[in-house]
Amino acid sequence: MAIKKSNTQTKGVVKDVKYYSRKFWKIYFYGLGIIALFFLFASWGLFGSMPSFEDLENPDSNLATEIISSDGVVLGKYFKQNRSALKYSDLPKNLVQALVATEDARFYEHSGIDGRGTLRAIASLGTSGGASTLTQQLAKQLFHGEGSKFLPFRIVQKAKEWIIAIRLERQYTKNEILAMYCNVYDFGNYSVGVSSAAKTYFSKEPKDLTIDESAILVGMFKNSGLYNPVKNPVGVKNRRNVVLSQMEKANLITEDQKHQLQSLPITLHFKLESHREGTATYFREYLRDYMKKWVEENKKPDGSDYDIYKDGLKIYTTIDSRMQAYAEEAVAAHMANMQEEFFIQNKDNKNAPFINISEAETQRIINQAMKSSSRWAILKDQDKSDEEIIKSFNEKTKMTVFTWKGERDTIMTPMDSIRYYKHFLQAGVMSMEPQTGNIKVWVGGINYKYFQYDHVGQGARQVGSTFKPFVYATAIEQLNMSPCDSILDGPFIIRKGRHHVTEDWEPRNSDNNYRGMVTLKQALAYSINTVSAKLIDKVSPEAVIELTHKLGVKSEIVTQPSIALGAVEITVEDMVAAFSTFANQGVYTKPQFLSKIENKSGEVIYEPIPESHDVLNKDIAFAIIKLLEGVTESGSGARLRTQGGGNGDKRWTGYPYMFTNPIAGKTGTSQNQSDGWFMGMVPNLVTGVWVGCEDRSAHFKSLTYGQGAAMALPIWGYFMNKCYDDKTLTVSKEDFERPKNLSIKVDCYAPRAAVVKDTTATPEQDTEEFSL
């Protein structure tokens, strides 16, 4: 009986082992099936959308659009996220090595998922570190975002990361994955990607990063919010040293190098990339407005709109970064100098900065500025009444104001700040190649952060005597005159009814003197008003206006003879284009600021077509050039060639200039010294400069400082000296090209001129009263 019992027990044990074995394998295979189905369903998108093949091929990377100068410098960007794409070859080797050593040591061995690291993480329940590979992290950055805190959702998200990571590994090379990861990571402070981070934190191109700096950025990959070098330098240093230890562990640096680098302090050159700061700010804003219209007219191949803030366009411009920097430096240097004088002259002016205007007119200007301010708009949006808003403008508050010595924190009423800013002299500068129409320089004002109005493209101001060459050109063309022909400088009247004048008009010269018989060259050099009036009387205002419009001036011009003295408002851009026609042998070339636009793949999607047309024959254009050369030889522009003193010479920034090469130019000063101009030309560069206050009632009291030769010309002189000192530029010092078989006499006999010692003796201004 005992034996039977033993056999029964043995059979039962065997039965139990087989039973549980089958059950185990059943559960095992069912489990594998469920896991396989789970991943299959996840890949099909049943647990949430998954990126398609097209998405993997062209991930939405929200790339910033870059504005690139003609010499290859990035002038600025348009972005919602400041992200720029780098190729793997553009990444510094030390950064790539540090990244792999720290974040994914087996990156080059796995296919998107690190099996060994995953098992280790599971076995230790995550206490020995996570198992996300760089490819998984890229998948999360591109298509997934931050993980959920809810465990079931987190499991689903992790599965999706694995699937996307494997697909990415199949689609891209390891180097491409590294480059993409470096391009999409958010380093904080509006810097997305290594390129932006290098410029923001170190003011460097990525290729110039040191091992120490690369280690700082790699340390930020762990948590850029926590390891922000601006806010947490101690934590960043500790994290950097961990990265350096990992590099030493991977034999990328020696132990001595590690200790040496770990001892270095955290050194930053922090500079936020901002739309309102940096180089060519006014031009970049002008270009942004242009691009808003461009995207409406130019669609993607699929018919959708381009987005300049995320499509990673590359806008290649004609601006030269070196010349732009010199022009901005010239404006800053001279305007700070002149502003100091302007404040001195207004110290005792009870209605500063306004001169000779009524209290009612002053209040109108202040009220208009108040209602145009951002403060007014903000308070209006808060449903404040006009009375409440006006009251707030008279309450003292803390604010930061602009000064030429840097921003200053102060306490004043917003109303006082309006009057304070009305004191500031503004400037507009543009340079252009006359033969190509390529704009090389665009300086729309003195500081875009505080003064957004663009005095190159937006601001049309009275041009004064710089309009006179258009009158002379009309006369030479229609009357067959030459620069050497003589004309009488004497009293002159245009009677009521002639040329649409409503009463007798008698122009006077600025010094109230008459010189008798003078050549046209002398008349323009000394900006003699009576001669300009006589010439427009002979050819008619209509003829002058017609030619001026052919030269590219778009402003409306009243049909009155007084336009001969500059009673016309024109932008700096149009003035430069018009004068360029003379330098380009009579051919008008439309100014252009674009070379081409590329998409993020480097394909050219737009190239502008140059526009030009004939205006004058070569002989007439060259005759005007010779007239304008006379201005810098003996007229109001002669200080470009002299070194004599004179009242106010300390305010002529960069003086003496001592140019010896041919220069064609013209100064201009409007009534009451409200606008100062200088148009300066050499054979391959035409530059226009305007200076004046925002309001025409704010101006210098006298011609010493208020004329174009003092306000505007020094900026041209300073700028050109900088250009000539830069041997990488090719700004000409040669003669203007003389047409073959020239039919107009341009070489006039003149006795040897005496040395000019005080150029303030020959100011020009159009002070005549006129009736329109």
Side-chain angles (χ1 to χ4, degrees), residues 279-321:
T279 306
T281 45
Y282 290 91
F283 171 74
R284 280 154 41 198
E285 196 59 31
Y286 180 87
L287 179 62
R288 187 207 303 271
D289 287 339
Y290 172 85
M291 289 302 296
K292 287 178 183 176
K293 299 170 186 171
W294 183 88
V295 297
E296 293 176 2
E297 300 169 359
N298 298 268
K299 305 292 183 181
K300 291 181 180 179
D302 63 3
S304 62
D305 290 339
Y306 285 102
D307 187 333
I308 65 171
Y309 299 106
K310 57 179 283 189
D311 280 345
L313 303 179
K314 291 189 184 299
I315 305 174
Y316 291 87
T317 72
T318 61
I319 299 293
D320 186 290
S321 69

Side-chain angles (χ1 to χ4, degrees), residues 459-715:
R461 296 292 290 246
Q462 279 201 11
V463 295
S465 293
T466 53
F467 190 85
K468 290 176 180 175
F470 308 152
V471 178
Y472 280 64
T474 309
I476 291 174
E477 182 180 47
Q478 292 201 0
L479 306 176
N480 295 318
M481 299 183 75
S482 83
C484 303
D485 286 346
S486 295
I487 192 168
L488 179 65
D489 171 20
F492 178 71
I493 298 176
I494 293 181
R495 297 296 181 185
K496 178 180 177 180
R498 181 172 172 80
H499 300 313
H500 314 288
V501 297
T502 55
E503 58 184 59
D504 290 353
W505 181 58
E506 184 178 6
R508 298 183 300 277
N509 294 327
S510 58
D511 57 3
N512 289 315
N513 293 322
Y514 301 105
R515 295 171 177 79
M517 295 301 293
V518 292
T519 63
L520 288 190
K521 189 172 184 178
Q522 290 171 327
L524 188 61
Y526 292 102
S527 207
I528 299 174
N529 292 332
T530 58
V531 171
S532 295
K534 285 185 177 182
L535 293 177
I536 201 169
D537 179 53
K538 291 176 181 292
V539 299
S540 81
E542 288 85 353
V544 173
I545 293 170
E546 182 182 359
L547 177 62
T548 303
H549 283 150
K550 285 182 180 178
L551 289 167
V553 173
K554 296 183 281 290
S555 305
E556 288 188 18
I557 305 174
V558 295
T559 311
Q560 289 283 320
S562 57
I563 63 174
L565 309 184
V568 182
E569 294 187 348
I570 303 175
T571 64
V572 173
E573 182 182 10
D574 282 0
M575 287 297 287
V576 171
F579 270 70
S580 292
T581 305
F582 301 134
N584 194 31
Q585 299 186 325
V587 178
Y588 166 81
T589 302
K590 184 180 179 180
Q592 63 178 20
F593 46 84
L594 284 180
S595 297
K596 61 181 178 180
I597 300 176
E598 291 179 351
N599 62 19
K600 64 182 179 182
S601 302
E603 299 169 330
V604 177
I605 56 176
Y606 178 74
E607 278 186 290
I609 301 172
E611 297 180 32
S612 64
H613 59 258
D614 292 337
V615 179
L616 298 165
N617 71 44
K618 293 181 179 180
D619 291 3
I620 296 172
F622 186 71
I624 300 300
I625 290 292
K626 299 306 287 184
L627 284 171
L628 293 170
E629 284 183 352
V631 174
T632 66
E633 292 166 357
S634 60
S636 55
R639 65 182 61 174
L640 289 171
R641 306 189 181 283
T642 63
Q643 58 181 341
N647 187 21
D649 65 343
K650 290 182 181 178
R651 298 299 185 194
W652 304 338
T653 313
Y655 183 80
Y657 314 104
M658 298 301 294
F659 293 108
T660 57
N661 55 291
I663 299 170
K666 186 70 190 81
T667 57
T669 311
S670 66
Q671 288 187 331
N672 298 322
Q673 303 82 239
S674 296
D675 305 276
W677 289 79
F678 183 70
M679 304 297 301
M681 300 191 285
V682 295
N684 66 349
L685 192 68
V686 177
T687 303
V689 183
W690 167 86
V691 172
C693 286
E694 185 179 273
D695 297 277
R696 300 194 79 244
S697 52
H699 53 77
F700 280 108
K701 296 177 182 178
S702 70
L703 280 168
T704 299
Y705 300 103
Q707 61 176 304
M711 284 205 291
L713 179 145
I715 292 175

Side-chain angles (χ1 to χ4, degrees), residues 319-577:
I319 299 293
D320 186 290
S321 69
R322 298 158 295 182
M323 296 171 73
Q324 179 72 26
Y326 299 148
E328 291 181 6
E329 183 182 333
V331 168
H334 183 57
M335 299 307 289
N337 196 5
M338 292 297 281
Q339 192 64 53
E340 186 177 349
E341 181 65 34
F342 193 78
F343 276 126
I344 291 171
Q345 291 194 16
N346 276 282
K347 190 176 292 184
D348 299 323
N349 179 5
K350 293 182 179 179
N351 195 30
F354 311 113
I355 297 176
N356 297 329
I357 63 171
S358 66
E359 185 177 338
E361 178 62 15
T362 301
Q363 197 57 50
R364 185 194 67 78
I365 293 172
I366 298 295
N367 287 342
Q368 184 178 12
M370 178 175 61
K371 292 181 179 179
S372 300
S373 68
S374 58
R375 174 182 288 271
W376 183 280
I378 291 169
L379 293 176
K380 266 294 183 186
D381 287 342
Q382 296 174 3
D383 294 325
K384 300 286 186 182
S385 66
D386 287 3
E387 291 74 18
E388 289 176 306
I389 298 174
I390 292 170
K391 182 182 177 182
S392 75
F393 269 82
N394 289 287
E395 295 172 352
K396 288 190 175 183
T397 183
K398 290 181 180 180
M399 64 178 67
T400 302
V401 297
F402 169 80
T403 80
W404 277 112
K405 294 181 180 179
E407 293 181 327
R408 193 181 79 186
D409 293 329
T410 188
I411 297 175
M412 67 168 70
T413 68
M415 193 67 77
D416 286 340
S417 74
I418 289 175
R419 193 178 282 266
Y420 168 73
Y421 283 124
K422 290 292 186 182
H423 280 76
F424 279 90
L425 292 161
Q426 302 295 326
V429 182
M430 181 179 133
S431 293
M432 183 178 111
E433 291 176 345
Q435 292 78 21
T436 63
N438 290 343
I439 298 172
K440 311 308 290 183
V441 164
W442 185 298
V443 185
I446 59 174
N447 185 291
Y448 185 78
K449 183 177 179 180
Y450 288 91
F451 308 97
Q452 275 96 53
Y453 193 76
D454 184 352
H455 293 284
V456 171
Q458 284 180 292
R461 296 292 290 246
Q462 279 201 11
V463 295
S465 293
T466 53
F467 190 85
K468 290 176 180 175
F470 308 152
V471 178
Y472 280 64
T474 309
I476 291 174
E477 182 180 47
Q478 292 201 0
L479 306 176
N480 295 318
M481 299 183 75
S482 83
C484 303
D485 286 346
S486 295
I487 192 168
L488 179 65
D489 171 20
F492 178 71
I493 298 176
I494 293 181
R495 297 296 181 185
K496 178 180 177 180
R498 181 172 172 80
H499 300 313
H500 314 288
V501 297
T502 55
E503 58 184 59
D504 290 353
W505 181 58
E506 184 178 6
R508 298 183 300 277
N509 294 327
S510 58
D511 57 3
N512 289 315
N513 293 322
Y514 301 105
R515 295 171 177 79
M517 295 301 293
V518 292
T519 63
L520 288 190
K521 189 172 184 178
Q522 290 171 327
L524 188 61
Y526 292 102
S527 207
I528 299 174
N529 292 332
T530 58
V531 171
S532 295
K534 285 185 177 182
L535 293 177
I536 201 169
D537 179 53
K538 291 176 181 292
V539 299
S540 81
E542 288 85 353
V544 173
I545 293 170
E546 182 182 359
L547 177 62
T548 303
H549 283 150
K550 285 182 180 178
L551 289 167
V553 173
K554 296 183 281 290
S555 305
E556 288 188 18
I557 305 174
V558 295
T559 311
Q560 289 283 320
S562 57
I563 63 174
L565 309 184
V568 182
E569 294 187 348
I570 303 175
T571 64
V572 173
E573 182 182 10
D574 282 0
M575 287 297 287
V576 171

Side-chain angles (χ1 to χ4, degrees), residues 59-65 79-84 183-184 192 307 309-312 600:
D60 182 9
S61 52
N62 287 337
L63 292 174
T65 288
F79 58 85
K80 286 186 172 69
Q81 288 184 317
N82 185 8
R83 178 181 292 165
S84 299
N183 284 331
V184 301
V192 179
D307 187 333
Y309 299 106
K310 57 179 283 189
D311 280 345
K600 64 182 179 182

Side-chain angles (χ1 to χ4, degrees), residues 89-275:
S89 58
D90 297 325
L91 292 169
K93 184 178 179 181
N94 53 49
L95 185 141
V96 172
Q97 291 175 333
L99 178 60
V100 172
T102 306
E103 295 291 331
D104 191 353
R106 286 183 291 277
F107 174 70
Y108 292 105
E109 300 168 17
H110 63 67
S111 297
I113 300 172
D114 183 359
R116 196 192 315 175
T118 301
L119 290 174
R120 185 197 69 236
I122 293 171
S124 65
L125 299 177
T127 58
S128 63
S132 284
T133 64
L134 284 174
T135 317
Q136 286 176 257
Q137 292 178 47
L138 173 61
K140 182 167 69 174
Q141 292 280 340
L142 283 178
F143 304 109
H144 185 51
E146 271 305 312
S148 172
K149 302 295 183 185
F150 185 50
L151 184 60
F153 288 172
R154 183 73 192 105
I155 292 172
V156 171
Q157 290 167 344
K158 201 68 180 176
K160 289 166 69 176
E161 281 177 23
W162 287 355
I163 295 166
I164 297 170
I166 293 170
R167 290 179 178 179
L168 285 172
E169 289 275 354
R170 291 175 179 172
Q171 192 74 21
Y172 297 100
T173 66
K174 291 287 187 180
N175 289 349
E176 288 172 332
I177 288 170
L178 279 171
M180 289 173 69
Y181 184 61
C182 288
N183 284 331
V184 301
Y185 189 78
D186 188 344
F187 287 88
N189 289 304
Y190 308 106
S191 300
V192 179
V194 167
S195 178
S196 297
K199 291 172 185 173
T200 298
Y201 293 110
F202 305 111
S203 297
K204 286 184 175 182
E205 293 295 327
K207 61 182 174 62
D208 298 322
L209 290 171
T210 63
I211 296 176
D212 166 53
E213 292 163 344
S214 290
I216 291 173
L217 294 184
V218 169
M220 294 178 72
F221 277 105
K222 185 175 180 67
N223 185 331
S224 60
L226 176 61
Y227 298 111
N228 185 315
V230 178
K231 298 177 180 178
N232 183 15
V234 175
V236 167
K237 185 174 182 180
N238 293 335
R239 179 61 187 163
R240 177 204 65 182
N241 291 348
V242 169
V243 174
L244 292 170
S245 294
Q246 290 298 106
M247 293 183 73
E248 188 258 337
K249 185 178 177 181
N251 297 317
L252 299 171
I253 57 175
T254 65
E255 187 174 0
D256 288 341
Q257 281 180 301
K258 180 189 76 170
H259 292 310
Q260 182 183 357
L261 291 168
Q262 285 180 337
S263 67
L264 294 175
I266 299 296
T267 303
L268 304 177
H269 295 282
F270 181 72
K271 184 175 176 59
L272 274 178
E273 291 198 64
S274 165
H275 298 307

